[in-house]
Amino acid sequence: MMTSWINFLLFLVLQLCFLSTATTNEHDDHPLPTVYVINALPKSSKAMNVSCSSNNIDIGEQSLVNGEVYKWRVSQRKLHYCVAIWERFFASWHAFQPRRDGNHETLFWMVEEDGFFISWDKAKWVRKYRWETE
């Protein structure tokens, strides 16, 4: 009976060691990315207001005119979302999703009249979200 308990305890200790090692390696192999939100709206348009957050962490709000960039570093492997308001349009989107973006060092969002485009290399862009109106 005592041998069974010892084996069970050893099994638990090994499992805990394995889990802590796996968690550590996951974070060491892939540093948290930097997110860039780029205003590519028409030059003559009003500024776009962008506010981003994650859980209870407010990353901040910025007003961007054409060509300006809102940049921040992801602080935790959790969903980060943003809200944008531009003239009579509004949108909300997942700026960082751990499964989608966790293996990248940088994440770019190009905001244009016809939507929000994602890229990890600034070469290939894919539209993920569109503007909404009232």
Side-chain angles (χ1 to χ4, degrees):
M1 180 80 170
M2 185 65 129
T3 306
S4 298
W5 276 106
I6 291 173
N7 286 338
F8 178 73
L9 288 174
L10 283 173
F11 174 77
L12 283 178
V13 168
L14 288 174
Q15 291 298 318
L16 289 173
C17 289
F18 174 75
L19 288 174
S20 67
T21 303
T23 304
T24 302
N25 288 340
E26 174 185 286
H27 296 294
D28 290 345
D29 291 346
H30 304 290
L32 294 171
T34 300
V35 178
Y36 297 84
V37 178
I38 305 161
N39 183 341
L41 294 166
K43 291 181 182 180
S44 60
S45 67
K46 293 182 180 177
M48 169 183 67
N49 292 317
V50 180
S51 174
C52 299
S53 58
S54 173
N55 286 348
N56 295 329
I57 300 171
D58 182 14
I59 298 167
E61 182 177 346
Q62 288 199 1
S63 182
L64 305 174
V65 296
N66 174 273
E68 289 186 327
V69 177
Y70 178 22
K71 168 186 162 185
W72 79 91
R73 186 153 184 90
V74 172
S75 61
Q76 53 185 328
R77 289 194 188 281
K78 297 195 184 271
L79 181 67
H80 287 62
Y81 56 92
C82 294
V83 175
I85 299 172
W86 170 61
E87 296 182 354
R88 63 182 185 95
F89 301 99
F90 60 92
S92 64
W93 76 98
H94 295 158
F96 172 76
Q97 293 178 352
R99 284 187 179 173
R100 180 190 66 198
D101 308 316
N103 294 332
H104 301 281
E105 290 183 19
T106 52
L107 172 60
F108 301 96
W109 286 98
M110 180 83 69
V111 182
E112 298 182 355
E113 284 182 285
D114 59 341
F116 296 72
F117 297 79
I118 190 172
S119 177
W120 296 277
D121 59 8
K122 287 181 86 175
K124 181 182 177 190
W125 296 89
V126 176
R127 182 171 54 201
K128 290 287 193 179
Y129 302 95
R130 294 181 185 265
W131 288 102
E132 302 286 334
T133 58
E134 299 179 68

